[in-house]
Amino acid sequence: MLKVLEHPLITHKLTQMRRKECGTKDFRANLDEIAGLMAYEISRDLPLRTVDIETPVSPYTTKELAKDIVLVPILRAGLGMVNGIANLIPTVKIAHIGLYRDEETLEPHTYFEKYPKNVKDAVVMIVDPMLATGGSANAAIDMVKKQGAKNIRLVCLVGAPEGVKAVEEAHPEVDIYLAALDEKLNEHGYIVPGLGDAGDRIFGTK
Ligand code: PRP
Ligand code: URA
């Protein structure tokens, strides 16, 4: 399932990020805020369990989150989405997957992976601002599946149709959430209109 999260605040903030004159500080702040806005929607169907508690006034049977949630940023750019989501989902644990895309071949290369203990039974949310060819996302999904993950969501800011198709074909059971579905990839594998190289814009590198 592909879900494009349309909201005026998301659209406005993403427009600021797309502007080429948007500096590192504003780019990071807008990404953080959009990730927070997306958290509401991507957590809408999280399972709850019944619990008995005591309020200051009386005993009360109510509900709380039933499953561990593991956030998996794809390094580097995925790091820019972690705080916005983690601030709103209190039980979150954070894994890391280090991948970079070879600029010539566009193939993803793995350089790091680290997981918490409960990946197998957790709701796993892979986060990365850019879904271009889908190579990095598919590699990350393969990696968390190797850890036993069964309930996997992919959360990106901007996606290209080519990347969405690649993930849907390789992992049809993974739900994909985007803030925007853009037009296409250019001949260098960049999303058009996109926002350029997300990692470089977040960290001020080139
Ligand atoms: C970017 C982006 C994704 C990947 C998307 O990362 O953050 O991880 O490219 O491209 P794909 O869908 O074609 O695989 P990059 O490799 O530039 O690394 P970085 O985050 O360290 O900048
Ligand atoms: N990675 C990025 O950071 N931007 C793109 O447009 C494509 C891949």
Side-chain angles (χ1 to χ4, degrees):
M1 178 216 66
L2 168 66
K3 184 148 194 191
V4 181
L5 306 180
E6 280 165 5
H7 188 288
L9 291 177
I10 291 180
T11 304
H12 176 84
K13 289 169 191 295
L14 183 53
T15 298
Q16 308 320 308
M17 295 177 72
R18 288 186 192 273
R19 290 179 194 274
K20 64 180 180 199
E21 64 271 21
C22 179
T24 299
K25 186 164 183 274
D26 286 339
F27 192 91
R28 272 204 298 261
N30 280 298
L31 177 59
D32 186 55
E33 289 164 10
I34 294 175
L37 290 166
M38 293 181 83
Y40 184 76
E41 198 59 42
I42 62 179
S43 59
R44 183 181 281 285
D45 61 345
L46 289 178
L48 294 170
R49 66 169 166 238
T50 302
V51 285
D52 294 319
I53 63 161
E54 300 265 340
T55 80
V57 180
S58 75
Y60 183 47
T61 300
T62 181
K63 291 184 174 167
E64 65 182 10
L65 290 173
K67 282 197 174 246
D68 284 324
I69 296 144
V70 174
L71 208 54
V72 189
I74 302 180
L75 308 180
R76 296 172 299 164
L79 288 174
M81 297 178 74
V82 168
N83 284 347
I85 298 175
N87 283 342
L88 291 176
I89 305 182
T91 57
V92 94
K93 296 193 170 60
I94 300 169
H96 291 88
I97 287 181
L99 288 176
Y100 72 90
R101 192 173 80 145
D102 183 292
E103 286 184 10
E104 298 293 319
T105 66
L106 303 183
E107 287 299 314
H109 295 272
T110 311
Y111 58 87
F112 187 76
E113 52 185 319
K114 186 86 181 170
Y115 306 94
K117 281 205 186 82
N118 53 351
V119 173
K120 205 157 55 69
D121 301 313
V123 177
V124 173
M125 297 180 178
I126 298 173
V127 295
D128 190 328
M130 309 309 276
L131 176 62
T133 65
S136 303
N138 274 340
I141 295 168
D142 286 337
M143 289 162 77
V144 298
K145 280 188 173 174
K146 274 203 188 113
Q147 300 297 312
K150 293 179 285 294
N151 187 339
I152 305 167
R153 306 165 186 206
L154 175 66
V155 185
C156 301
L157 199 65
V158 180
E162 294 88 334
V164 171
K165 184 162 178 276
V167 174
E168 284 177 340
E169 282 176 4
H171 303 285
E173 80 290 3
V174 171
D175 290 336
I176 305 170
Y177 295 87
L178 297 178
L181 179 62
D182 274 12
E183 194 188 322
K184 60 177 183 184
L185 293 180
N186 69 12
E187 63 278 20
H188 305 294
Y190 275 82
I191 299 174
V192 180
L195 44 74
D197 187 307
D200 283 345
R201 297 198 66 188
I202 292 168
F203 295 106
T205 50
K206 182 56 221 116

